[in-house]
Amino acid sequence: MSEIVLGVAASHSTLMNTHWAETYHKDRAERFRDALGTARNALAAARPDTVVLIGSNHFRGFWLDLIPSFTIGVDECVASGESGTPKGPQPVDRELALHLAGDLVERAGFDLAFSARLQIDHGQSHAIQYLLDGLDVDLVPLVVNVFAPPLPTLARCEQLGRALREAVLAFPGGRRVAVIGSGGLSHRLPWPDWREPHGDDEEFMVGAWRNGRENWQDYDIRRREIIRAAEASLNPEFDDEFLTWFEQGRADRVTGFTTQELEKTAGNGAQEIRTWLMTAAMLDHAPARRLAYEPMPEWLTGMGVAVIDPAERTERQS
């Protein structure tokens, strides 16, 4: 049988790579970066064979011609490499990935999409860059749709996390598995609802999402300009409350939000906390340890890092 040895949840921002020099809250930025390093060291100490990497899509790996709610990579996986993130083929644990895809259908009733040639973007490769730096591990990439409504509900994401846990534990290959959830916390991107764009910038964005499969790089300069022109919209109070739930092993409380309520409270980018919720569920909602929280308006995002070590709960119970 296999075991889940650690969970890590962390925010991502490519502005760490491209605009570090323009970052004026350097103390906050350095604390967040240091927390990523601490989480990376915890992963190294846990000695995983494989990492289930749960992340979002920013329309550089999926486009509006096909948007599944959940997609698991079962063979080839290529990172798009935008904004200084890793580029090119990534190692996939094909045996475990195929087991998860099959087990979720046959035993848990989840009809996930799968890809034998998955392209990921910084929604996952940012974690590869900072949390898996120098670690010799294979991946099972799982992409969650958080930006192209209709989105999977928070409750459905939590249920999938629990089903993934059971599928991992049932795998006979004896894997040591870690889980990473990448995304969040509160932030608002200048992205339209693709069903109802307003104005030139929103029309441009939706056009990029519809037509960018073969030439997404051609849209990137203006995309970045639109994002850089946006005003920050953070909700540190919500972020702190959610992190407190995470620490208490009660992340499932966020399932009380509808998709619309979550966006109103914490921005469209907060939909990425689905990846944190799924990570918590895969760790059976063991209490987490908060490593950092830094509101970063110049990165448009509330940046958090937390670690879930199931051994710590076992020690407290004994």
Side-chain angles (χ1 to χ4, degrees), residues 1-9 39-52 96 132 135-138 164-166 168-169 174-180 279-284 286-289 306-315:
M1 308 303 281
S2 297
E3 58 180 324
I4 299 176
V5 297
L6 198 74
V8 174
R40 180 264 174 213
N41 292 340
L43 283 162
R47 298 179 293 104
D49 304 301
T50 301
V51 171
V52 175
L96 177 58
L132 299 180
L135 302 188
D136 182 17
V137 295
D138 289 333
L164 281 163
R165 172 181 175 81
E166 295 305 315
V168 168
L169 296 180
R175 295 289 198 278
R176 294 177 59 85
V177 177
V179 185
I180 293 176
T279 298
M282 287 193 69
L283 273 292
D284 198 27
R289 178 163 50 97
V307 170
I308 306 174
D309 186 344
E312 292 182 2
R313 178 165 68 178
T314 301
E315 290 171 0

Side-chain angles (χ1 to χ4, degrees), residues 128-239:
I128 294 170
Q129 181 177 12
Y130 290 99
L131 295 173
L132 299 180
D133 182 31
L135 302 188
D136 182 17
V137 295
D138 289 333
L139 305 177
V140 175
L142 178 61
V143 181
V144 183
N145 171 33
V146 303
F147 287 123
L151 309 183
T153 66
L154 289 153
R156 187 63 168 166
C157 291
E158 200 274 339
Q159 293 162 5
L160 176 56
R162 290 183 180 274
L164 281 163
R165 172 181 175 81
E166 295 305 315
V168 168
L169 296 180
F171 181 62
R175 295 289 198 278
R176 294 177 59 85
V177 177
V179 185
I180 293 176
S182 181
L185 297 168
S186 69
H187 62 293
R188 184 173 298 280
L189 296 173
W191 286 6
D193 183 327
W194 69 270
R195 299 165 296 187
E196 196 174 3
H198 300 283
D200 290 344
D201 284 348
E202 292 194 359
E203 292 283 359
F204 171 82
M205 282 290 198
V206 173
W209 301 344
R210 284 184 182 275
N211 305 313
R213 180 173 294 278
E214 303 301 329
N215 61 334
W216 61 265
Q217 298 95 332
D218 295 346
Y219 296 93
D220 249 24
I221 292 176
R222 185 172 173 188
R223 273 182 52 142
R224 296 292 286 182
E225 289 173 349
I226 293 170
I227 291 171
R228 291 297 295 155
E231 293 186 7
S233 178
L234 311 184
N235 187 338
E237 292 76 18
F238 169 83
D239 292 342

Side-chain angles (χ1 to χ4, degrees), residues 16-275:
M16 284 183 64
N17 295 346
T18 61
H19 288 77
W20 185 271
E22 292 87 348
T23 298
Y24 50 88
H25 288 106
K26 279 290 198 302
D27 55 341
R28 300 181 189 179
E30 289 168 357
R31 286 194 295 266
F32 174 76
R33 183 184 58 191
D34 291 347
L36 291 179
T38 300
R40 180 264 174 213
N41 292 340
L43 283 162
R47 298 179 293 104
D49 304 301
T50 301
V51 171
V52 175
L53 179 51
I54 308 171
S56 55
N57 163 59
H58 302 80
F59 301 100
R60 296 184 183 93
F62 287 82
W63 291 266
L64 289 176
D65 57 1
L66 182 62
I67 298 282
S69 291
F70 307 102
T71 306
I72 188 168
V74 298
D75 197 348
E76 297 176 24
C77 177
V78 178
S80 57
E82 81 280 8
S83 303
T85 54
K87 182 177 183 178
Q90 305 299 316
V92 172
D93 186 338
R94 186 173 184 269
E95 187 180 11
L96 177 58
L98 287 170
H99 163 80
L100 295 180
D103 189 86
L104 287 167
V105 170
E106 294 169 9
R107 187 165 57 84
F110 276 92
D111 304 320
L112 264 65
F114 69 87
S115 174
R117 185 172 293 167
L118 180 68
Q119 181 162 308
I120 58 175
D121 64 22
H122 75 265
Q124 294 179 312
S125 59
H126 191 275
I128 294 170
Q129 181 177 12
Y130 290 99
L131 295 173
L132 299 180
D133 182 31
L135 302 188
D136 182 17
V137 295
D138 289 333
L139 305 177
V140 175
L142 178 61
V143 181
V144 183
N145 171 33
V146 303
F147 287 123
L151 309 183
T153 66
L154 289 153
R156 187 63 168 166
C157 291
E158 200 274 339
Q159 293 162 5
L160 176 56
R162 290 183 180 274
L164 281 163
R165 172 181 175 81
E166 295 305 315
V168 168
L169 296 180
F171 181 62
R175 295 289 198 278
R176 294 177 59 85
V177 177
V179 185
I180 293 176
S182 181
L185 297 168
S186 69
H187 62 293
R188 184 173 298 280
L189 296 173
W191 286 6
D193 183 327
W194 69 270
R195 299 165 296 187
E196 196 174 3
H198 300 283
D200 290 344
D201 284 348
E202 292 194 359
E203 292 283 359
F204 171 82
M205 282 290 198
V206 173
W209 301 344
R210 284 184 182 275
N211 305 313
R213 180 173 294 278
E214 303 301 329
N215 61 334
W216 61 265
Q217 298 95 332
D218 295 346
Y219 296 93
D220 249 24
I221 292 176
R222 185 172 173 188
R223 273 182 52 142
R224 296 292 286 182
E225 289 173 349
I226 293 170
I227 291 171
R228 291 297 295 155
E231 293 186 7
S233 178
L234 311 184
N235 187 338
E237 292 76 18
F238 169 83
D239 292 342
D240 180 68
E241 183 174 34
F242 177 71
L243 284 166
T244 299
W245 293 341
F246 212 69
E247 291 173 297
Q248 295 171 341
R250 302 172 67 192
D252 57 347
R253 291 189 65 179
V254 79
T255 60
F257 284 81
T258 67
T259 295
Q260 294 74 23
E261 288 168 343
L262 181 59
E263 177 168 350
K264 183 177 180 180
T265 300
N268 56 0
Q271 306 292 359
E272 289 180 323
I273 64 172
R274 285 165 169 78
T275 68

